[in-house]
Amino acid sequence: MSAYSLLLVRPLAVGFSAGALLALAACSASGPEPEAQAAPAAAPPVLRESLAAVEMRAEASHKRMAPMAYAPTPMPIADVLPPGYRDESREQYQAYADNPVFAVAETPVSTFSIDVDTGSYANVRRFLNGGQLPPKDAVRLEELVNYFPYAYPLPQGDVPFGVGTELAVTPWNPQTRLLRIAIKASDRRVEALPPANLVFLVDVSGSMHRREGLPMVQSTLKLLVDQLRAQDRVSLVTYAGDSQVVLESTPGSDKAKIRAAIDQLSAGGSTAGESGIQLAYQQASRHMIDGGINRILLATDGDFNVGISDFDSLRQLAADKRKSGVSLTTLGFGVDNYNERLMEQLADAGNGNYAYIDNLREARKVLVDQLGSTLATVASDVKLQLEFNPSEVSEYRLLGYENRVLKREDFSNDKVDAGDIGAGHTVTALYEIVPVGGKGWLEPLRYRVSPQPASEAGELAWLRIRYKAPGEAASRLLERPIALDTRPMAAASEDLRFAAAVAAFAQQLKDGRHTGTFDLAQSIELARSARGEDRFGLRGEFIQLAEIAQSLQTAASTPARVQQ
């Protein structure tokens, strides 16, 4: 019987000194602490000896007296957090300025890396469902747009993804046009995936001791365990004050053993994230499957405070380790101290993808419905480059992808890292362009040299895509023209109309600088008109979130009435 249970059974036998010891033990229990005062994972030796003495005295007293039917009441997770802990937000986001407007006469070429992350959308949803507008830096337009499935062209020939384009009048600015570039990767059933060597890397530090932390991680990982096959293998590594291998590489058929290892996890202590990452890569390398999927799934709030904890060093660590053939996927959890900046950039550097898990429905979407996309890569280092025709386009701006912009010369340099596309992934890129003769954002130059007419009539731009097939070091090039075929937004496809609504919504959450008088009500109406079949209810959910944002913005802009 534990000291805690005995004290509850025989309160008179231990006296007030035991109560004081319990109070000290509770204070030193694992939980979120400031970085400068990280709590140890276990009670100090003196305290452990005192509790042992109390237990011996209580046991002796227990032998002389009849037992009582008291049982300890489980302490809710929220109760172990310090008072006011949730009142202070320590969340971290990377600030990016919107992509600038470019004049085609001066800068006709736009180059960027694709991005398939969707974490920003789930994180924004968490804020809105909690009755708050999200921080502006938490809103990444491309991750909101790419959250949804679209009916894009399927791959043809030996290219692992299909490519489509569409052009329509911009809903928030009739003087401009909205160009959509659509990419759809070939899908693969879980049964058809190569054998997987997975390492679950779980943060069990004190900051994860909350409902949104470790309990959500455990439920999420067990959803993935249900999808494992006999040829798959799973290791479990944890880190808090230090790191350890909780479960050595185990066949996916031994689900009971893997679930039991996940269930026995408990949170407490400081956060030595760098140590955990190093151990996870060692474990993944030890059980490497040639030609298979070798991936670490890091589940954490990103609040590292022991060992290497600065952003640049951790990001470089992931970038160096990806050369081993092991990729890194990050699954974000938690609130208040969530380091979204680190989670998103670690996944980028580690050749993986990033998702934020705010509920079990999202966990199922990422690790069940889209498991092939999460684990299997069909094209790596994917770069897009557009060369705009100066006789048709005068100005342009790329919507989103601010942290993915590349130099023009990076496009043909195979040593420059870029984003990967997983099986079944859809990728959307949007440009807002100004036709020649239309009113743009830039004032005309007095001494501008007139551009030379393009040699090909009817072409809006020339699209180039570079990618590497799995296992290849040299990139392949895909090129095609983009036709000048503009239609009204009302006549555009449902997919373009819905993507435009989400893009407008993202801009309105940030500052609405480019959307003018086009407000959230109009974004909602545009999304509602393009809801379509909506098999998984995701578009309907977006409409509800936009309505919540509209209410919150209205409340924030309405001055409080003072009662006389």
Short mmCIF file of all heavy atoms in Angstrom, two decimals, residues 122-179:
data_model
loop_
_atom_site.label_atom_id
_atom_site.label_comp_id
_atom_site.label_asym_id
_atom_site.label_seq_id
_atom_site.Cartn_x
_atom_site.Cartn_y
_atom_site.Cartn_z
N ALA A 122 -6.19 23.66 -37.99
CA ALA A 122 -6.69 23.06 -36.75
C ALA A 122 -6.41 23.97 -35.56
O ALA A 122 -7.21 24.06 -34.62
CB ALA A 122 -6.06 21.68 -36.54
N ASN A 123 -5.28 24.65 -35.58
CA ASN A 123 -4.94 25.56 -34.49
C ASN A 123 -5.88 26.77 -34.48
O ASN A 123 -6.34 27.20 -33.42
CB ASN A 123 -3.49 26.01 -34.63
CG ASN A 123 -2.95 26.66 -33.37
OD1 ASN A 123 -3.34 26.30 -32.25
ND2 ASN A 123 -2.05 27.61 -33.53
N VAL A 124 -6.16 27.32 -35.66
CA VAL A 124 -7.13 28.42 -35.76
C VAL A 124 -8.50 27.96 -35.27
O VAL A 124 -9.21 28.68 -34.55
CB VAL A 124 -7.22 28.93 -37.21
CG1 VAL A 124 -8.44 29.82 -37.42
CG2 VAL A 124 -5.95 29.70 -37.58
N ARG A 125 -8.89 26.75 -35.63
CA ARG A 125 -10.17 26.20 -35.17
C ARG A 125 -10.21 26.13 -33.65
O ARG A 125 -11.23 26.42 -33.03
CB ARG A 125 -10.36 24.81 -35.78
CG ARG A 125 -11.62 24.09 -35.32
CD ARG A 125 -11.78 22.78 -36.05
NE ARG A 125 -10.66 21.88 -35.79
CZ ARG A 125 -10.34 20.85 -36.57
NH1 ARG A 125 -11.03 20.60 -37.67
NH2 ARG A 125 -9.32 20.08 -36.26
N ARG A 126 -9.09 25.73 -33.04
CA ARG A 126 -9.04 25.65 -31.58
C ARG A 126 -9.33 27.01 -30.94
O ARG A 126 -10.09 27.11 -29.98
CB ARG A 126 -7.66 25.13 -31.18
CG ARG A 126 -7.48 24.88 -29.69
CD ARG A 126 -6.54 25.87 -29.01
NE ARG A 126 -5.22 25.88 -29.59
CZ ARG A 126 -4.21 26.60 -29.07
NH1 ARG A 126 -4.41 27.36 -28.01
NH2 ARG A 126 -3.02 26.62 -29.66
N PHE A 127 -8.72 28.05 -31.48
CA PHE A 127 -8.97 29.39 -30.93
C PHE A 127 -10.43 29.79 -31.10
O PHE A 127 -11.07 30.27 -30.16
CB PHE A 127 -8.06 30.41 -31.62
CG PHE A 127 -6.68 30.49 -31.03
CD1 PHE A 127 -5.61 29.88 -31.66
CD2 PHE A 127 -6.45 31.19 -29.86
CE1 PHE A 127 -4.34 29.95 -31.13
CE2 PHE A 127 -5.17 31.26 -29.31
CZ PHE A 127 -4.12 30.64 -29.95
N LEU A 128 -10.97 29.61 -32.29
CA LEU A 128 -12.34 30.05 -32.56
C LEU A 128 -13.35 29.28 -31.73
O LEU A 128 -14.29 29.86 -31.17
CB LEU A 128 -12.65 29.91 -34.05
CG LEU A 128 -11.87 30.85 -34.98
CD1 LEU A 128 -12.17 30.54 -36.44
CD2 LEU A 128 -12.19 32.32 -34.67
N ASN A 129 -13.17 27.98 -31.61
CA ASN A 129 -14.07 27.19 -30.78
C ASN A 129 -13.95 27.55 -29.31
O ASN A 129 -14.88 27.32 -28.54
CB ASN A 129 -13.80 25.70 -30.97
CG ASN A 129 -14.38 25.16 -32.27
OD1 ASN A 129 -15.36 25.70 -32.79
ND2 ASN A 129 -13.80 24.08 -32.79
N GLY A 130 -12.81 28.12 -28.93
CA GLY A 130 -12.62 28.59 -27.56
C GLY A 130 -13.10 30.01 -27.34
O GLY A 130 -12.91 30.56 -26.25
N GLY A 131 -13.70 30.63 -28.37
CA GLY A 131 -14.25 31.97 -28.22
C GLY A 131 -13.23 33.08 -28.39
O GLY A 131 -13.45 34.20 -27.92
N GLN A 132 -12.11 32.81 -29.09
CA GLN A 132 -11.09 33.83 -29.31
C GLN A 132 -10.72 33.90 -30.78
O GLN A 132 -10.69 32.86 -31.47
CB GLN A 132 -9.81 33.49 -28.54
CG GLN A 132 -9.91 33.42 -27.05
CD GLN A 132 -8.56 33.07 -26.44
OE1 GLN A 132 -7.56 33.76 -26.65
NE2 GLN A 132 -8.51 31.99 -25.68
N LEU A 133 -10.43 35.11 -31.25
CA LEU A 133 -9.82 35.24 -32.56
C LEU A 133 -8.36 34.80 -32.46
O LEU A 133 -7.69 35.11 -31.47
CB LEU A 133 -9.90 36.69 -33.04
CG LEU A 133 -11.30 37.19 -33.42
CD1 LEU A 133 -11.28 38.70 -33.63
CD2 LEU A 133 -11.81 36.49 -34.66
N PRO A 134 -7.85 34.07 -33.43
CA PRO A 134 -6.47 33.57 -33.33
C PRO A 134 -5.46 34.70 -33.48
O PRO A 134 -5.75 35.74 -34.11
CB PRO A 134 -6.37 32.60 -34.51
CG PRO A 134 -7.35 33.12 -35.51
CD PRO A 134 -8.49 33.67 -34.70
N PRO A 135 -4.26 34.54 -32.93
CA PRO A 135 -3.19 35.51 -33.21
C PRO A 135 -2.96 35.58 -34.72
O PRO A 135 -3.02 34.56 -35.42
CB PRO A 135 -1.98 34.92 -32.48
CG PRO A 135 -2.54 33.96 -31.47
CD PRO A 135 -3.81 33.44 -32.05
N LYS A 136 -2.65 36.74 -35.22
CA LYS A 136 -2.48 36.90 -36.66
C LYS A 136 -1.37 36.00 -37.21
O LYS A 136 -1.49 35.46 -38.32
CB LYS A 136 -2.20 38.37 -37.00
CG LYS A 136 -3.39 39.28 -36.72
CD LYS A 136 -3.08 40.72 -37.06
CE LYS A 136 -4.28 41.62 -36.80
NZ LYS A 136 -4.01 43.04 -37.13
N ASP A 137 -0.30 35.83 -36.43
CA ASP A 137 0.81 35.01 -36.91
C ASP A 137 0.48 33.52 -36.90
O ASP A 137 1.24 32.72 -37.46
CB ASP A 137 2.05 35.27 -36.06
CG ASP A 137 2.60 36.68 -36.26
OD1 ASP A 137 2.39 37.24 -37.34
OD2 ASP A 137 3.22 37.22 -35.32
N ALA A 138 -0.62 33.14 -36.27
CA ALA A 138 -1.04 31.73 -36.28
C ALA A 138 -1.75 31.36 -37.57
O ALA A 138 -1.98 30.18 -37.84
CB ALA A 138 -1.95 31.44 -35.09
N VAL A 139 -2.11 32.35 -38.38
CA VAL A 139 -2.88 32.13 -39.60
C VAL A 139 -1.93 32.05 -40.79
O VAL A 139 -1.32 33.05 -41.17
CB VAL A 139 -3.91 33.25 -39.82
CG1 VAL A 139 -4.74 32.98 -41.08
CG2 VAL A 139 -4.82 33.40 -38.60
N ARG A 140 -1.79 30.86 -41.37
CA ARG A 140 -1.01 30.69 -42.60
C ARG A 140 -1.98 30.28 -43.70
O ARG A 140 -2.55 29.18 -43.67
CB ARG A 140 0.11 29.66 -42.42
CG ARG A 140 1.29 30.21 -41.61
CD ARG A 140 2.48 29.26 -41.68
NE ARG A 140 2.18 27.99 -41.06
CZ ARG A 140 2.20 27.78 -39.74
NH1 ARG A 140 2.51 28.77 -38.91
NH2 ARG A 140 1.91 26.59 -39.25
N LEU A 141 -2.15 31.16 -44.65
CA LEU A 141 -3.19 31.02 -45.66
C LEU A 141 -3.12 29.68 -46.38
O LEU A 141 -4.15 29.02 -46.55
CB LEU A 141 -3.09 32.19 -46.65
CG LEU A 141 -4.17 32.30 -47.72
CD1 LEU A 141 -4.40 33.78 -48.09
CD2 LEU A 141 -3.79 31.53 -49.00
N GLU A 142 -1.94 29.27 -46.81
CA GLU A 142 -1.85 28.03 -47.59
C GLU A 142 -2.24 26.81 -46.78
O GLU A 142 -2.79 25.85 -47.32
CB GLU A 142 -0.43 27.86 -48.17
CG GLU A 142 0.66 27.48 -47.19
CD GLU A 142 1.21 28.66 -46.40
OE1 GLU A 142 0.69 29.78 -46.56
OE2 GLU A 142 2.17 28.46 -45.63
N GLU A 143 -2.01 26.83 -45.46
CA GLU A 143 -2.38 25.68 -44.64
C GLU A 143 -3.89 25.61 -44.40
O GLU A 143 -4.44 24.52 -44.22
CB GLU A 143 -1.62 25.71 -43.31
CG GLU A 143 -0.12 25.52 -43.50
CD GLU A 143 0.63 25.31 -42.19
OE1 GLU A 143 0.00 24.87 -41.20
OE2 GLU A 143 1.84 25.58 -42.16
N LEU A 144 -4.54 26.76 -44.41
CA LEU A 144 -6.00 26.76 -44.34
C LEU A 144 -6.60 26.24 -45.64
O LEU A 144 -7.49 25.40 -45.64
CB LEU A 144 -6.52 28.16 -44.03
CG LEU A 144 -6.71 28.52 -42.54
CD1 LEU A 144 -5.37 28.52 -41.81
CD2 LEU A 144 -7.40 29.87 -42.39
N VAL A 145 -6.09 26.72 -46.75
CA VAL A 145 -6.62 26.30 -48.05
C VAL A 145 -6.35 24.82 -48.29
O VAL A 145 -7.22 24.08 -48.79
CB VAL A 145 -6.02 27.16 -49.18
CG1 VAL A 145 -6.40 26.61 -50.55
CG2 VAL A 145 -6.47 28.62 -49.06
N ASN A 146 -5.17 24.33 -47.93
CA ASN A 146 -4.79 22.95 -48.21
C ASN A 146 -5.40 21.94 -47.24
O ASN A 146 -5.20 20.73 -47.39
CB ASN A 146 -3.27 22.80 -48.20
CG ASN A 146 -2.61 23.37 -49.43
OD1 ASN A 146 -3.21 23.42 -50.50
ND2 ASN A 146 -1.37 23.82 -49.30
N TYR A 147 -6.14 22.41 -46.25
CA TYR A 147 -6.75 21.50 -45.28
C TYR A 147 -7.84 20.64 -45.93
O TYR A 147 -8.11 19.52 -45.48
CB TYR A 147 -7.34 22.32 -44.13
CG TYR A 147 -7.95 21.48 -43.03
CD1 TYR A 147 -7.15 20.92 -42.04
CD2 TYR A 147 -9.32 21.25 -42.97
CE1 TYR A 147 -7.70 20.15 -41.02
CE2 TYR A 147 -9.88 20.48 -41.96
CZ TYR A 147 -9.07 19.94 -40.98
OH TYR A 147 -9.62 19.18 -39.98
N PHE A 148 -8.45 21.13 -47.00
CA PHE A 148 -9.63 20.50 -47.56
C PHE A 148 -9.30 19.63 -48.77
O PHE A 148 -8.39 19.95 -49.54
CB PHE A 148 -10.65 21.58 -47.96
CG PHE A 148 -11.03 22.47 -46.82
CD1 PHE A 148 -10.34 23.65 -46.59
CD2 PHE A 148 -12.05 22.12 -45.96
CE1 PHE A 148 -10.67 24.47 -45.51
CE2 PHE A 148 -12.39 22.93 -44.89
CZ PHE A 148 -11.70 24.11 -44.66
N PRO A 149 -10.05 18.55 -48.96
CA PRO A 149 -9.88 17.75 -50.19
C PRO A 149 -10.54 18.45 -51.37
O PRO A 149 -11.57 19.13 -51.22
CB PRO A 149 -10.60 16.44 -49.84
CG PRO A 149 -11.62 16.81 -48.82
CD PRO A 149 -11.03 17.96 -48.03
N TYR A 150 -9.96 18.30 -52.54
CA TYR A 150 -10.50 18.89 -53.76
C TYR A 150 -10.48 17.85 -54.88
O TYR A 150 -9.65 16.94 -54.87
CB TYR A 150 -9.68 20.12 -54.19
CG TYR A 150 -9.62 21.23 -53.18
CD1 TYR A 150 -8.51 21.38 -52.33
CD2 TYR A 150 -10.66 22.15 -53.06
CE1 TYR A 150 -8.45 22.41 -51.41
CE2 TYR A 150 -10.60 23.19 -52.13
CZ TYR A 150 -9.50 23.31 -51.30
OH TYR A 150 -9.43 24.33 -50.38
N ALA A 151 -11.37 18.01 -55.83
CA ALA A 151 -11.45 17.08 -56.97
C ALA A 151 -10.52 17.57 -58.07
O ALA A 151 -10.96 18.12 -59.09
CB ALA A 151 -12.89 16.99 -57.47
N TYR A 152 -9.23 17.38 -57.89
CA TYR A 152 -8.23 17.84 -58.83
C TYR A 152 -7.89 16.74 -59.83
O TYR A 152 -8.16 15.55 -59.59
CB TYR A 152 -6.97 18.28 -58.09
CG TYR A 152 -7.11 19.59 -57.32
CD1 TYR A 152 -6.14 19.98 -56.41
CD2 TYR A 152 -8.21 20.42 -57.52
CE1 TYR A 152 -6.25 21.18 -55.71
CE2 TYR A 152 -8.34 21.61 -56.82
CZ TYR A 152 -7.36 21.98 -55.91
OH TYR A 152 -7.48 23.17 -55.23
N PRO A 153 -7.26 17.11 -60.95
CA PRO A 153 -6.90 16.09 -61.96
C PRO A 153 -5.97 15.03 -61.38
O PRO A 153 -5.05 15.34 -60.62
CB PRO A 153 -6.19 16.91 -63.04
CG PRO A 153 -6.67 18.32 -62.85
CD PRO A 153 -6.92 18.48 -61.38
N LEU A 154 -6.20 13.78 -61.76
CA LEU A 154 -5.37 12.68 -61.29
C LEU A 154 -4.11 12.55 -62.14
O LEU A 154 -4.04 13.06 -63.25
CB LEU A 154 -6.18 11.38 -61.34
CG LEU A 154 -7.37 11.31 -60.37
CD1 LEU A 154 -8.18 10.05 -60.61
CD2 LEU A 154 -6.90 11.39 -58.92
N PRO A 155 -3.08 11.87 -61.62
CA PRO A 155 -1.82 11.73 -62.36
C PRO A 155 -2.01 10.99 -63.67
O PRO A 155 -2.90 10.15 -63.81
CB PRO A 155 -0.93 10.94 -61.40
CG PRO A 155 -1.55 11.11 -60.06
CD PRO A 155 -3.00 11.27 -60.28
N GLN A 156 -1.15 11.32 -64.63
CA GLN A 156 -1.13 10.63 -65.92
C GLN A 156 0.30 10.23 -66.25
O GLN A 156 1.24 10.97 -65.96
CB GLN A 156 -1.69 11.53 -67.03
CG GLN A 156 -3.15 11.88 -66.84
CD GLN A 156 -3.69 12.75 -67.97
OE1 GLN A 156 -2.94 13.20 -68.84
NE2 GLN A 156 -4.99 12.99 -67.96
N GLY A 157 0.45 9.07 -66.85
CA GLY A 157 1.78 8.60 -67.21
C GLY A 157 2.60 8.25 -65.98
O GLY A 157 2.08 7.74 -64.99
N ASP A 158 3.90 8.56 -66.05
CA ASP A 158 4.78 8.21 -64.93
C ASP A 158 4.97 9.36 -63.94
O ASP A 158 5.78 9.27 -63.03
CB ASP A 158 6.14 7.76 -65.46
CG ASP A 158 6.85 8.87 -66.25
OD1 ASP A 158 6.19 9.88 -66.57
OD2 ASP A 158 8.05 8.71 -66.54
N VAL A 159 4.21 10.45 -64.11
CA VAL A 159 4.28 11.56 -63.17
C VAL A 159 3.43 11.21 -61.94
O VAL A 159 2.28 10.79 -62.09
CB VAL A 159 3.76 12.87 -63.81
CG1 VAL A 159 3.82 14.02 -62.81
CG2 VAL A 159 4.58 13.20 -65.05
N PRO A 160 3.98 11.37 -60.72
CA PRO A 160 3.26 10.91 -59.53
C PRO A 160 2.12 11.83 -59.07
O PRO A 160 1.48 11.55 -58.06
CB PRO A 160 4.35 10.84 -58.46
CG PRO A 160 5.34 11.86 -58.88
CD PRO A 160 5.35 11.84 -60.38
N PHE A 161 1.89 12.92 -59.80
CA PHE A 161 0.80 13.83 -59.41
C PHE A 161 0.20 14.46 -60.66
O PHE A 161 0.86 14.61 -61.69
CB PHE A 161 1.28 14.91 -58.44
CG PHE A 161 2.54 15.60 -58.87
CD1 PHE A 161 2.52 16.63 -59.81
CD2 PHE A 161 3.76 15.23 -58.35
CE1 PHE A 161 3.68 17.26 -60.21
CE2 PHE A 161 4.94 15.85 -58.74
CZ PHE A 161 4.89 16.87 -59.68
N GLY A 162 -1.07 14.82 -60.56
CA GLY A 162 -1.73 15.55 -61.63
C GLY A 162 -1.64 17.04 -61.40
O GLY A 162 -1.47 17.50 -60.27
N VAL A 163 -1.74 17.80 -62.49
CA VAL A 163 -1.62 19.26 -62.42
C VAL A 163 -2.78 19.90 -63.18
O VAL A 163 -3.10 19.47 -64.30
CB VAL A 163 -0.28 19.76 -63.00
CG1 VAL A 163 -0.18 21.28 -62.88
CG2 VAL A 163 0.89 19.08 -62.30
N GLY A 164 -3.41 20.88 -62.58
CA GLY A 164 -4.48 21.62 -63.24
C GLY A 164 -4.40 23.09 -62.88
O GLY A 164 -3.80 23.47 -61.87
N THR A 165 -4.96 23.95 -63.72
CA THR A 165 -5.00 25.39 -63.47
C THR A 165 -6.40 25.91 -63.76
O THR A 165 -7.16 25.31 -64.53
CB THR A 165 -3.98 26.15 -64.32
OG1 THR A 165 -4.26 25.93 -65.71
CG2 THR A 165 -2.56 25.69 -64.02
N GLU A 166 -6.73 27.04 -63.14
CA GLU A 166 -8.02 27.69 -63.37
C GLU A 166 -7.88 29.17 -63.07
O GLU A 166 -7.13 29.57 -62.17
CB GLU A 166 -9.10 27.06 -62.48
CG GLU A 166 -10.51 27.51 -62.82
CD GLU A 166 -11.58 26.76 -62.03
OE1 GLU A 166 -11.22 25.91 -61.19
OE2 GLU A 166 -12.78 27.02 -62.25
N LEU A 167 -8.61 30.00 -63.82
CA LEU A 167 -8.50 31.45 -63.70
C LEU A 167 -9.90 32.06 -63.65
O LEU A 167 -10.76 31.73 -64.46
CB LEU A 167 -7.73 32.02 -64.90
CG LEU A 167 -7.42 33.52 -64.91
CD1 LEU A 167 -6.42 33.87 -63.80
CD2 LEU A 167 -6.86 33.94 -66.27
N ALA A 168 -10.12 32.93 -62.67
CA ALA A 168 -11.44 33.58 -62.53
C ALA A 168 -11.24 34.98 -61.95
O ALA A 168 -10.17 35.32 -61.42
CB ALA A 168 -12.35 32.76 -61.62
N VAL A 169 -12.28 35.78 -62.04
CA VAL A 169 -12.26 37.12 -61.46
C VAL A 169 -12.18 37.00 -59.95
O VAL A 169 -12.89 36.21 -59.33
CB VAL A 169 -13.52 37.91 -61.86
CG1 VAL A 169 -13.54 39.28 -61.19
CG2 VAL A 169 -13.57 38.06 -63.38
N THR A 170 -11.29 37.76 -59.33
CA THR A 170 -11.10 37.71 -57.89
C THR A 170 -12.36 38.20 -57.18
O THR A 170 -12.86 39.29 -57.49
CB THR A 170 -9.91 38.58 -57.47
OG1 THR A 170 -8.76 38.21 -58.25
CG2 THR A 170 -9.60 38.41 -56.00
N PRO A 171 -12.88 37.47 -56.21
CA PRO A 171 -14.13 37.89 -55.55
C PRO A 171 -14.00 39.18 -54.76
O PRO A 171 -14.97 39.94 -54.64
CB PRO A 171 -14.48 36.70 -54.65
CG PRO A 171 -13.21 35.96 -54.47
CD PRO A 171 -12.43 36.15 -55.73
N TRP A 172 -12.83 39.46 -54.19
CA TRP A 172 -12.67 40.67 -53.39
C TRP A 172 -12.11 41.86 -54.18
O TRP A 172 -11.96 42.94 -53.63
CB TRP A 172 -11.77 40.40 -52.18
CG TRP A 172 -10.42 39.84 -52.51
CD1 TRP A 172 -9.31 40.54 -52.89
CD2 TRP A 172 -10.03 38.46 -52.50
NE1 TRP A 172 -8.26 39.69 -53.13
CE2 TRP A 172 -8.66 38.41 -52.88
CE3 TRP A 172 -10.69 37.28 -52.20
CZ2 TRP A 172 -7.96 37.22 -52.97
CZ3 TRP A 172 -9.98 36.08 -52.29
CH2 TRP A 172 -8.64 36.05 -52.66
N ASN A 173 -11.81 41.65 -55.48
CA ASN A 173 -11.29 42.77 -56.28
C ASN A 173 -11.59 42.50 -57.75
O ASN A 173 -10.86 41.73 -58.40
CB ASN A 173 -9.78 42.92 -56.06
CG ASN A 173 -9.20 44.13 -56.77
OD1 ASN A 173 -9.89 44.80 -57.55
ND2 ASN A 173 -7.93 44.41 -56.53
N PRO A 174 -12.62 43.09 -58.31
CA PRO A 174 -12.98 42.83 -59.71
C PRO A 174 -11.93 43.30 -60.71
O PRO A 174 -11.99 42.92 -61.89
CB PRO A 174 -14.29 43.61 -59.88
CG PRO A 174 -14.28 44.64 -58.81
CD PRO A 174 -13.54 44.04 -57.66
N GLN A 175 -10.94 44.07 -60.27
CA GLN A 175 -9.88 44.53 -61.16
C GLN A 175 -8.79 43.48 -61.36
O GLN A 175 -7.96 43.61 -62.25
CB GLN A 175 -9.24 45.82 -60.60
CG GLN A 175 -10.17 47.00 -60.50
CD GLN A 175 -10.56 47.53 -61.88
OE1 GLN A 175 -9.77 47.49 -62.82
NE2 GLN A 175 -11.80 48.00 -62.00
N THR A 176 -8.78 42.45 -60.51
CA THR A 176 -7.72 41.44 -60.58
C THR A 176 -8.31 40.06 -60.90
O THR A 176 -9.52 39.88 -60.93
CB THR A 176 -6.95 41.37 -59.25
OG1 THR A 176 -7.82 40.90 -58.21
CG2 THR A 176 -6.39 42.74 -58.87
N ARG A 177 -7.42 39.10 -61.11
CA ARG A 177 -7.82 37.74 -61.41
C ARG A 177 -7.17 36.80 -60.40
O ARG A 177 -6.05 37.03 -59.93
CB ARG A 177 -7.40 37.35 -62.84
CG ARG A 177 -7.91 38.30 -63.90
CD ARG A 177 -9.41 38.21 -64.07
NE ARG A 177 -9.89 39.13 -65.10
CZ ARG A 177 -10.41 40.33 -64.83
NH1 ARG A 177 -10.51 40.77 -63.57
NH2 ARG A 177 -10.84 41.09 -65.81
N LEU A 178 -7.87 35.72 -60.09
CA LEU A 178 -7.35 34.72 -59.16
C LEU A 178 -6.95 33.48 -59.94
O LEU A 178 -7.78 32.84 -60.58
CB LEU A 178 -8.41 34.38 -58.11
CG LEU A 178 -7.93 33.63 -56.86
CD1 LEU A 178 -6.94 34.48 -56.07
CD2 LEU A 178 -9.11 33.24 -55.98
N LEU A 179 -5.67 33.16 -59.90
CA LEU A 179 -5.13 32.00 -60.59
C LEU A 179 -4.89 30.88 -59.59
O LEU A 179 -4.22 31.08 -58.58
CB LEU A 179 -3.81 32.36 -61.29
CG LEU A 179 -2.99 31.18 -61.87
CD1 LEU A 179 -3.77 30.48 -62.98
CD2 LEU A 179 -1.64 31.68 -62.37
#
